[in-house]
C-alpha cells in the first residue's frame, strides 16, 4: 500500500497520457511531460489524485519521487493545480485536447498563425481566432469562453476534496457553471444533485453537512423532496403520494415529517412541483411531469374530437386492403382495419403471432387508397428498423422524427412547427414514456390521425408513465385486442409459451431438438453461469442460423447479484473479448470490440437510453472511446464513460422494443425480487429464432404465478376517462 507522502518537490508539465483512473476515488496513474533545458523533454510517471484532468492540461504538482519495486521511479502527487499552458507547443496541445470542435489540425493552424503571441492573443483578444482560415464564429466563441472560464478549477477541486466529494466531479461541475462554480457549490451544494449527472442527493447532502447546513433545514427539505420525486420518476412513477414523501422524511432521511409539507408548499409556490388531489391521496408532481401528463391527455382529446373519414371512403379503402393482402384477412383483422380508418385515435394491441405485421401492411394499402400519407415511427432504433423491414416503408425513431436541436436543447418539431403528416403510426408504443409522448403529440397537426400499436402485456416504458396501458384503461379511444394466433406462428414454442405465460400456465419445456424454446435446469448460481458461457461461446454457434456470439443476447432480471448484469458482463467480456487495447474507468474495463449500451439520453451525441453499439477504437493517449451505434457514431472522453456499460448481458427492461436472433436468460432464486410474469413474457418475446432459459423450475414457476405488475402512480387514465 502507498504511504502518506509529504510535498517536498514541485513538478510542472503537460499531462500526456492517462494510464489508469479510479472514478470513485480519483486515484490516477499518468504520464506528465516535463520540459528541460535545451528543448529536451522528460516523461515522468505520476500517481495520486489527478481526477478531473484531461490529456493536454498543464499542471503544477506538489509531492515527491519514490522508487517503486516494479514500476520504477514515480512522482506521488500530494496536491496539484492546473495552470494555463506556457509556450506555443503546450498551447497547441491544450487547444486540441480541451476545446470541443478544435482538434489537432485546427490547433496546429492556430499555433502556426499566431506563433509566440498565441498566449497574449488568447488572454486579450481571443476574438482574433477568426483570422485563422477555417475558424468560424462558433468555434472562436467556444475557444474564448473555455479560456476565460478555465480559472477556478483548481480551487473547486481542492474544495470538493476537502468536503468529501470525489474530485473527479470537479471538471464536470466547472464545465457546467464556469468560473462561478465554487460560489454556486458553497451557496447551495444541493443544486449539484439537480444539475450534474453522477451526483445524487446523498453526495450533495454530505457536502452540505460539512458546510454546516442543518439536517432539519428547509433548504435540505426542499432538496430532499426533489430528490425523492426524481427517484420515483426513475422507478417509472409520474408522481408521488404525499404520504410517501412524509414517510421517507421520517425513516430514510431522519427529518421532521412536518418539514415535508412546508418544503412541498414552498416548491409549489416556486413552480417546481405541482400538488393535485388524486382519488384517495394527494399527489406531488415534478412540474415537468405534470405538464407532460396534462398535455398528453389534452392532445389525445383534441385529436379524438376531429372529424372521422366518411363511410364510403372507409369501405373503398378497406376493399383495396383486402384485395391486396397475400393472406386472407380474418374478421378480427378486418375489424381492426375499419377501426383504424374510422377513428382519429386508435390503439391496436396483441401478443406475438397475432398478425400485427400483416395488419399494418394492409393498413398502408388502405391509407393510400384513402389519399393519406402515413408517417411511421417507434421509440428506439431497433424498433424503427424492424418496423421499416415489416412495412417496406421508411420509419424513424421518435427522437429523429421530432428533430432534436442541440443549440436549443429541445425538439425542432412542436406546436409552432408541426410534423407534415395526416396519419401517424407508432409501433412498440408500450415503450413510450409520458414526456416523449407529450413532445410527440404536441408536434401533430389538428387534422392528424394517430395509431398506437403495441403489446399491453409487455413491461412499461423505462421512463415515467404507462402511456399505452393508461390510454387503454381510460376507455376513451377505440382499442382493438388481437387474440387469434395464426397457424404459422403456432408452430413456434416461443410464441406458444408467451401466450401460455399470459394465461398463467407453465411453459412447455420438452427441449425438442427441432424446437426453438429450451429450459436447462441448473440449481447453483455458478452452474447457471457456466451453462450460459457454454451456450454463448459454443453450443448455440452453428445452430438456428447463428454463426457469431454477437447474434446472442443475454438478458437478466437484475443488475446486481451473482447472475446480474454486472457479474455476467465481467464474465462474458473475459470469455468473448479477453484482450486488446483497453481503457479503465473505476472498476470497469472497456476494450476495443466490446458490446456496450447507452444508459441515458444524450441528445448532443444523438444517442439514446438503451441504444446498443460496439467500441470501434480506444485512444489511450487522450483517454477517449469511439463507439458505433446502429444509427450513429459517438465519441466519449473519460468523464463521460459513466454513460456506457458493457452489453454482453443487459436487463430485460433495456431490451424492450428490440429483437435478437437468440436470447439466453438466467432465471434463478437470486432474482426473486424481480420474478414477475410480464418481465418473463417481455424477455421471451425478444427472441426471433431461439430462446434458452437456464435456472430452476421453482424460479420459473414463481415468475409464472406472480402477476404483480407494480402499477405506476399516474393519472393519465383518470384525465382521459369519461363516464
Amino acid at each position: 500500500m502507498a504511504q502518506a507522502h509529504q510535498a517536498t518537490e514541485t513538478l510542472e508539465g503537460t499531462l500526456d497520457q492517462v494510464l489508469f483512473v479510479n472514478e470513485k476515488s480519483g486515484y490516477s496513474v499518468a504520464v506528465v511531460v516535463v520540459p528541460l533545458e535545451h528543448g529536451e523533454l522528460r516523461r515522468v510517471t505520476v500517481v495520486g489524485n489527478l481526477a478531473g484532468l484531461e490529456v493536454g492540461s498543464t499542471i503544477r504538482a506538489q509531492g515527491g519521487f519514490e522508487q517503486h519495486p516494479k514500476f520504477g521511479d514515480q512522482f506521488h502527487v500530494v496536491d496539484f493545480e492546473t495552470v494555463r499552458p506556457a509556450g506555443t507547443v503546450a498551447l497547441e496541445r491544450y487547444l486540441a485536447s480541451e476545446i470541443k470542435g478544435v482538434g489537432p489540425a485546427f490547433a496546429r493552424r492556430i499555433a502556426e498563425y499566431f506563433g509566440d503571441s498565441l498566449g497574449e492573443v488568447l488572454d486579450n483578444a481571443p476574438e482574433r481566432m477568426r483570422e485563422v482560415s477555417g475558424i468560424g464564429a462558433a468555434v472562436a466563441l467556444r475557444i474564448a469562453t473555455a479560456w476565460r472560464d478555465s480559472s477556478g478549477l483548481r480551487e473547486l477541486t481542492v474544495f470538493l476534496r476537502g468536503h468529501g466529494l470525489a474530485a473527479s466531479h470537479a471538471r464536470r461541475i466547472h464545465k457546467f457553471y464556469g468560473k462561478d462554480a465554487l460560489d454556486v457549490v458553497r451557496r447551495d451544494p444541493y443544486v449539484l444533485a439537480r444539475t450534474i449527472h453522477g451526483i445524487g442527493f446523498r453526495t450533495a447532502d454530505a457536502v452540505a453537512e460539512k458546510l454546516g447546513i442543518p439536517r432539519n433545514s428547509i433548504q435540505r427539505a426542499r432538496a430532499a423532496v426533489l430528490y425523492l420525486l426524481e427517484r420515483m420518476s426513475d422507478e417509472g412513477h409520474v408522481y408521488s403520494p404525499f404520504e410517501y414523501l412524509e414517510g421517507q422524511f421520517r425513516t430514510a432521511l431522519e427529518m421532521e415529517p412536518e418539514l415535508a409539507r412546508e418544503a412541498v408548499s414552498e416548491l409549489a409556490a416556486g413552480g417546481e412541483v405541482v400538488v393535485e388531489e388524486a382519488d384517495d391521496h394527494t399527489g406531488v408532481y415534478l412540474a415537468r411531469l405534470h405538464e407532460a401528463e396534462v398535455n398528453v391527455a389534452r392532445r389525445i382529446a383534441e385529436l379524438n374530437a376531429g372529424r372521422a373519414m366518411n363511410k364510403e371512403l372507409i369501405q373503398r379503402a378497406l376493399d383495396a386492403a383486402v384485395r391486396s393482402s397475400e393472406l386472407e384477412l380474418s374478421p378480427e383483422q378486418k375489424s381492426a382495419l375499419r377501426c383504424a380508418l374510422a377513428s382519429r385515435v386508435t390503439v391496436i394491441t396483441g401478443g406475438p403471432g397475432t398478425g400485427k405485421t400483416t395488419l399494418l401492411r394492409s393498413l398502408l394499402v388502405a391509407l393510400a387508397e384513402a389519399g393519406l400519407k402515413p408517417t411511421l415511427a417507434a421509440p428506439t432504433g431497433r424498433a424503427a428498423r424492424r418496423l421499416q423491414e415489416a412495412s417496406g416503408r421508411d420509419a424513424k425513431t421518435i427522437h429523429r422524427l421530432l428533430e432534436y436541436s442541440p443549440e436549443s436543447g429541445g425538439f425542432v418539431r412542436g406546436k409552432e412547427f408541426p410534423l407534415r403528416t395526416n396519419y401517424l403510426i407508432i409501433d412498440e408504443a408500450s415503450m413510450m414514456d409520458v414526456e416523449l409522448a407529450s413532445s410527440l403529440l404536441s408536434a401533430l397537426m389538428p387534422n392528424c390521425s394517430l395509431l398506437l400499436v403495441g403489446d399491453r402485456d409487455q413491461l412499461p416504458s423505462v421512463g415515467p408513465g404507462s402511456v399505452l396501458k393508461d390510454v387503454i384503461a381510460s376507455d376513451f379511444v377505440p382499442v382493438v385486442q388481437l387474440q387469434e394466433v395464426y397457424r404459422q406462428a403456432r408452430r413456434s414454442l416461443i410464441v406458444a409459451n408467451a401466450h401460455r405465460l399470459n394465461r398463467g400456465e407453465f411453459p412447455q419445456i420438452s427441449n425438442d431438438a427441432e424446437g426453438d424454446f429450451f429450459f436447462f435446469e441448473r440449481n447453483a448460481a455458478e452452474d447457471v453461469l457456466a451453462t450460459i458461457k457454454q451456450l454463448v461461446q459454443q453450443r448455440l454457434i452453428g445452430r438456428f442460423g447463428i454463426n457469431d456470439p454477437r447474434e446472442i443476447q443475454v438478458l437478466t432480471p437484475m443488475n446486481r447479484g451473482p447472475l446480474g448484469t454486472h457479474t455476467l458482463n465481467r464474465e462474458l467480456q473475459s470469455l468473448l473479448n479477453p484482450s486488446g487495447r483497453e481503457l479503465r474507468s473505476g472498476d470497469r474495463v472497456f476494450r476495443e470490440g466490446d458490446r456496450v449500451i447507452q444508459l441515458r439520453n444524450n441528445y448532443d451525441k444523438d444517442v439514446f437510453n438503451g441504444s446498443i453499439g460496439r467500441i470501434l477504437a480506444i485512444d489511450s493517449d487522450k483517454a477517449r472511446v469511439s463507439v458505433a451505434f446502429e444509427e450513429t457514431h459517438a465519441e466519449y472522453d473519460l468523464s463521460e464513460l459513466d454513460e456506457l456499460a458493457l452489453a454482453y448481458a443487459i436487463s430485460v427492461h433495456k431490451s424492450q422494443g428490440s429483437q435478437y436472433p437468440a436470447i439466453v436468460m438466467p432465471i434463478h432464486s437470486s432474482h426473486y425480487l424481480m420474478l414477475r410474469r410480464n418481465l418473463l413474457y417481455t424477455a421471451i418475446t425478444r427472441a426471433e429464432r431461439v430462446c434458452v432459459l437456464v435456472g430452476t423450475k421453482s424460479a420459473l414457476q414463481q415468475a409464472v404465478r406472480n402477476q404483480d405488475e407494480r402499477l405506476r402512480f399516474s393519472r393519465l387514465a383518470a384525465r382521459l376517462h369519461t363516464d
Side-chain angles (χ1 to χ4, degrees), residues 67-132:
Q67 189 71 21
H68 191 281
K70 182 177 180 181
F71 300 111
D73 214 18
Q74 295 181 334
F75 187 87
H76 284 263
V77 176
V78 174
D79 198 4
F80 73 91
E81 61 180 320
T82 55
V83 294
R84 287 181 170 177
T88 306
V89 174
L91 285 167
E92 179 185 332
R93 185 73 180 274
Y94 174 85
L95 292 172
S97 63
E98 292 284 305
I99 300 177
K100 185 178 180 181
V102 176
F106 275 144
R108 172 64 56 84
R109 199 178 296 174
I110 292 169
E112 289 177 349
Y113 183 87
F114 290 108
D116 292 340
S117 66
L118 178 55
E120 183 181 346
V121 171
L122 285 167
D123 277 334
N124 302 314
E127 67 278 1
R128 288 188 59 198
M129 292 295 115
R130 294 195 63 183
E131 296 175 15
V132 180

Side-chain angles (χ1 to χ4, degrees), residues 276-294:
E276 192 173 82
E277 292 303 316
D279 293 336
D280 58 354
H281 58 265
T282 299
V284 183
Y285 288 79
L286 289 167
R288 72 173 196 276
L289 295 183
H290 183 267
E291 180 183 358
E293 187 178 88
V294 168

Side-chain angles (χ1 to χ4, degrees), residues 309-324 337 341 361-374 393 422-423:
M309 195 183 300
N310 71 66
K311 292 181 180 179
E312 292 78 10
L313 186 55
I314 291 172
Q315 189 60 50
R316 193 166 72 241
L318 187 58
D319 291 342
V322 171
R323 287 195 305 270
S324 71
L337 268 178
L341 292 168
R361 290 174 180 153
S362 299
L363 176 62
L364 293 176
V365 173
L367 293 173
E369 179 68 23
L372 298 176
K373 296 180 179 180
R393 299 282 295 271
N422 48 25
Y423 201 105

Side-chain angles (χ1 to χ4, degrees), residues 13 17 140 143 208 211 263 291 324 354 452 500 515 539 549 558 622:
Q17 189 176 4
I143 293 171
L211 286 172
E291 180 183 358
S324 71
T354 55
L452 301 178
R500 281 192 184 93
R539 294 173 64 176
M558 300 175 70
K622 293 186 177 180

Side-chain angles (χ1 to χ4, degrees), residues 69 104 169 200 277 312 315 346 371 397 401 466 472 507 549 573 588 593 652 714 720:
H169 295 302
E277 292 303 316
E312 292 78 10
Q315 189 60 50
T346 313
T397 63
L401 185 68
S466 304
I472 292 172
Q573 183 192 45
R588 300 180 304 161
V652 178
S714 161
L720 286 169

Side-chain angles (χ1 to χ4, degrees), residues 420-498:
R420 298 299 174 186
T421 184
N422 48 25
Y423 201 105
L424 177 64
I425 299 170
I426 300 295
D427 197 17
E428 295 286 358
S430 63
M431 297 181 62
M432 192 165 54
D433 66 45
V434 71
E435 290 184 281
L436 186 58
S438 176
S439 296
L440 178 68
L441 290 166
S442 292
L444 299 185
M445 294 188 295
N447 66 340
C448 185
S449 294
L450 174 67
L451 173 62
L452 301 178
V453 182
D455 187 343
R456 70 194 301 172
D457 295 312
Q458 283 190 34
L459 290 169
S461 58
V462 175
S466 304
V467 174
L468 183 67
K469 288 184 179 179
D470 286 347
V471 172
I472 292 172
S474 73
D475 200 27
F476 183 73
V477 302
V479 177
V480 179
Q481 172 79 50
L482 300 177
Q483 296 178 315
E484 182 179 347
V485 179
Y486 291 88
R487 185 176 60 189
Q488 185 176 1
R490 283 200 296 268
R491 300 193 193 110
S492 166
L493 259 188
I494 292 172
V495 172
N497 280 336

Side-chain angles (χ1 to χ4, degrees), residues 2 17 19 29 32 36 94 137 193 231 322 337 376 404 425 514 613 652:
Q17 189 176 4
L19 304 175
V29 180
V32 171
L36 303 175
Y94 174 85
R231 193 174 72 179
V322 171
L337 268 178
L376 282 69
Y404 180 79
I425 299 170
E514 300 302 314
V652 178

Side-chain angles (χ1 to χ4, degrees), residues 10-21 26-34 42-50 53 59-66 71-80:
T10 298
L11 186 78
E12 186 169 327
T14 303
L15 189 66
D16 185 68
Q17 189 176 4
V18 177
L19 304 175
F20 169 79
V21 62
Y27 178 81
S28 309
V29 180
V31 175
V32 171
V33 174
V34 179
R42 177 189 177 190
R43 294 175 64 81
V44 178
T45 300
V46 298
V47 298
N49 194 324
L50 298 173
L53 289 178
I59 70 166
R60 183 180 297 122
Q62 290 78 43
F65 282 97
E66 183 179 276
F71 300 111
D73 214 18
Q74 295 181 334
F75 187 87
H76 284 263
V77 176
V78 174
D79 198 4
F80 73 91

